[in-house]
C-alpha cells in the first residue's frame, strides 16, 4: 500500500544512528513516530548505506514490539519531511520499473513486523531505501522496541514501539475513588446484614 499525504500528521519523535553491530556495511538507520490524522501512530523506518562489502546486500529490516496491535504496511520513496531526517530513496530500481518490490509480514507471535526489499535491496555506497511505514491502532509509544537490518551481518538498536494507553493521573484518581466507594458500600452492607442476623 502506498503512503498518502492526506493522513500525514505531526512527528512525535525521531532517531538517526549508525548501523550498530554490523560488520559488512556502515550507514544510518532512521526512524520516527508520527501521529496520523486518524489519531493513531505510524512508525517510519529508512536505511542509508555509506559502505558495503562487494557482493553483500542489505535485504530487509524488522522492528519489534508490535504484539496485540493491528498493522498496515505502506511505502514512500519521496523526501516527504523536507529538511527532516528522511530523504528520497535513490536505489536505482525504485526510480522506474519494477518500482517498489518490497513485501511485508509479521512473525508468528505478531510482535515483529518485517519489510523484505526484494529487488530494492541496498548493495552500493550511497544507496538509500524507501521509507517503510507501519500504521497501527496504537495511541502511545515508548523506546522499548528494536530496529534491525541485515545482509550477512546484523545491525540492531533500541527503537520505538507501540504500547497500551496509560490512563491520565486524573483518570487514575477517579478510578481509585470509585474503588474506594465500592469498598465502603460493601462494608456498610455487610454491617447491616450482620445487625439483622443478630436480631433474628
Amino acid at each position: 500500500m502506498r503512503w498518502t499525504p492526506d493522513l500525514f500528521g505531526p512527528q512525535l519523535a525521531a532517531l538517526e544512528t549508525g548501523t550498530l553491530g554490523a560488520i559488512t556495511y556502515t550507514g544510518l538507520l532512521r526512524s520516527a513516530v508520527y501521529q496520523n490524522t486518524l489519531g493513531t501512530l505510524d512508525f517510519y523506518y529508512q536505511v542509508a548505506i555509506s559502505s558495503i562489502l562487494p557482493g553483500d546486500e542489505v535485504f530487509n529490516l524488522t522492528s519489534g514490539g508490535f504484539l496485540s496491535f493491528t498493522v498496515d504496511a505502506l511505502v514512500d520513496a519521496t523526501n516527504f519531511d523536507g529538511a527532516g531526517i528522511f530523504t528520497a530513496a535513490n536505489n536505482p530500481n525504485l526510480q522506474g520499473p519494477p518500482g517498489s518490490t518490497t513485501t511485508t509480514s509479521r512473525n508468528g507471535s505478531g510482535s515483529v513486523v518485517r519489510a523484505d526489499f526484494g529487488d530494492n535491496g541496498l548493495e552500493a555506497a550511497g544507496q538509500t531505501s524507501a521509507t517503510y511505514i507501519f500504521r497501527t491502532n496504537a495511541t502511545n509509544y515508548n523506546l522499548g522496541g528494536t530496529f534491525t537490518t541485515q545482509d550477512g551481518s546484523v545491525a540492531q538498536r533500541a527503537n520505538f514501539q507501540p504500547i497500551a494507553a496509560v490512563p491520565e493521573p486524573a483518570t487514575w484518581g477517579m478510578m481509585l475513588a470509585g474503588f474506594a466507594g465500592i469498598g465502603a458500600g460493601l462494608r456498610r452492607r455487610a454491617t447491616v446484614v450482620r445487625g439483622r442476623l443478630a436480631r433474628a
Side-chain angles (χ1 to χ4, degrees), residues 11 13-20 27-33 44-50 79 81-88 128 131 143 147 156-160:
Q11 184 186 92
L15 284 173
E16 183 179 59
T17 191
T19 47
L20 305 177
L28 295 171
L29 306 180
R30 300 171 178 142
S31 60
V33 182
Y44 286 58
Y45 304 92
Q46 185 178 57
V47 184
I49 298 298
S50 300
N79 182 16
D81 67 343
I85 63 172
F86 296 96
T87 61
T128 301
T131 300
L143 197 57
F147 177 13
Q156 187 175 77
R157 66 171 225 205
N159 199 62
F160 308 112

Side-chain angles (χ1 to χ4, degrees), residues 123-139:
E123 52 192 1
Q127 288 188 351
T128 301
S129 76
T131 300
Y132 298 100
I133 303 161
F134 295 99
R135 173 156 290 157
T136 72
N137 61 338
T139 55

Side-chain angles (χ1 to χ4, degrees), residues 167-179:
E168 297 290 332
T171 304
W172 277 114
M174 286 189 294
M175 287 171 58
L176 292 173
F179 291 145

Side-chain angles (χ1 to χ4, degrees), residues 53-68:
L53 292 180
D56 279 323
E57 175 184 355
V58 175
F59 52 82
N60 71 23
L61 68 82
T62 62
S63 184
F66 288 78
L67 185 65
S68 303

Side-chain angles (χ1 to χ4, degrees), residues 9 65 113 116 143 164 186:
V113 292
D116 287 296
L143 197 57
L186 289 173

